[in-house]
Amino acid sequence: GAVVSQHPSWVICKSGTSVKIECRSLDFQATTMFWYRQFPKQSLMLMATSNEGSKATYEQGVEKDKFLINHASLTLSTLTVTSAHPEDSSFYICSASRTGWGNTIYFGEGSWLTVV
Amino acid sequence: DAKTTQPPSMDCAEGRAANLPCNHSTISGNEYVYWYRQIHSQGPQYIIHGLKNNETNEMASLIITEDRKSSTLILPHATLRDTAVYYCIANRDDKIIFGKGTRLHILP
């Protein structure tokens, strides 16, 4: 079964509103989680690293005020897309792993966001 | 992370073994080789990973060359459900950077 779970699986929101996506590690603690975005027919693009108890680290070109990341516990990271616009419509995916070199990295099922 | 090179697409007949190559000639000693696949509209699925030795699990086998500069993922008996994009990654931490992968088509 899934060891990393995302919620919701899909969401439709109106332009200008904010939407929150959750990523949970189900049977392990993850001090670090990662958020990706994927547009149709493209590969996954890393957006940011979510660090438990500290600020997220964003990849170049990703707006930190647009994509708010909170990692308040060792099993939960949230991504909030603020003031969403149609161009933010995408497939958002998170990943997490048990701490340690060479450990398996698991991905969530993904969350489809459509902004209308 | 070391750069990996994969063919953009491959075909394989159903029931045959699918052999997916990956070149990682700049891999460093502490980087593992990971394989993931992504079926349409789903999150990436872990397949297998290894450091030096060949590995096998219920899904696939991973053959790593002795110099570690390339590897092959083997799906022993491909089915239509194995149609997906397969990603080969050389990595030493949790942060995975995806390339374009290989789109594997299983032909009935």
Side-chain angles (χ1 to χ4, degrees), chain A residues 17-20 66-68 79-84 88 92 113:
Chain A
T17 63
S18 297
V19 61
K20 180 185 290 186
K66 172 78 172 174
F67 300 98
L68 301 179
L79 169 69
T80 301
V81 182
T82 63
S83 187
D88 298 323
Y92 292 87
L113 170 64

Side-chain angles (χ1 to χ4, degrees), chain B residues 57-75:
Chain B
N57 62 21
E58 64 279 4
M59 288 184 67
S61 294
L62 173 61
I63 308 298
I64 303 174
T65 58
E66 192 170 342
D67 62 8
R68 302 214 320 126
K69 292 185 177 182
S70 65
S71 61
T72 302
L73 177 74
I74 301 173
L75 307 178

Side-chain angles (χ1 to χ4, degrees), chain A residues 32 34 36 38 41-44 46 49 59 91 93 95 97-110 112, chain B residues 29-32 34 36 38 40-46 49 51 87 91-101 103:
Chain A
T32 306
F34 299 88
Y36 295 80
Q38 186 176 34
K41 297 188 178 182
Q42 295 185 22
S43 188
L44 288 82
L46 179 66
T49 302
E59 297 298 304
F91 190 47
I93 307 161
S95 72
S97 75
R98 293 176 175 84
T99 302
W101 173 61
N103 278 331
T104 302
I105 302 160
Y106 296 99
F107 287 80
E109 311 96 324
W112 283 101
Chain B
N30 61 352
E31 287 181 318
Y32 276 76
Y34 286 87
Y36 287 82
Q38 187 178 27
H40 183 61
S41 300
Q42 297 181 25
Q45 178 188 21
Y46 167 80
H49 74 288
L51 184 63
Y87 296 98
N91 208 55
R92 61 173 177 265
D93 56 28
D94 299 350
K95 182 177 175 179
I96 291 181
I97 305 298
F98 285 87
K100 296 183 178 181
R103 185 170 296 276

Side-chain angles (χ1 to χ4, degrees), chain A residues 1 5 8 12 14 20 26 28 33 35 42 44 57 59 70 74 80 82 84 89-90 92 97 103:
Chain A
S5 180
I12 300 172
K14 291 185 177 180
K20 180 185 290 186
L26 297 182
F28 64 95
M33 294 183 178
W35 286 96
Q42 295 185 22
L44 288 82
T57 305
E59 297 298 304
N70 184 280
L74 287 170
T80 301
T82 63
S89 298
S90 187
Y92 292 87
S97 75
N103 278 331

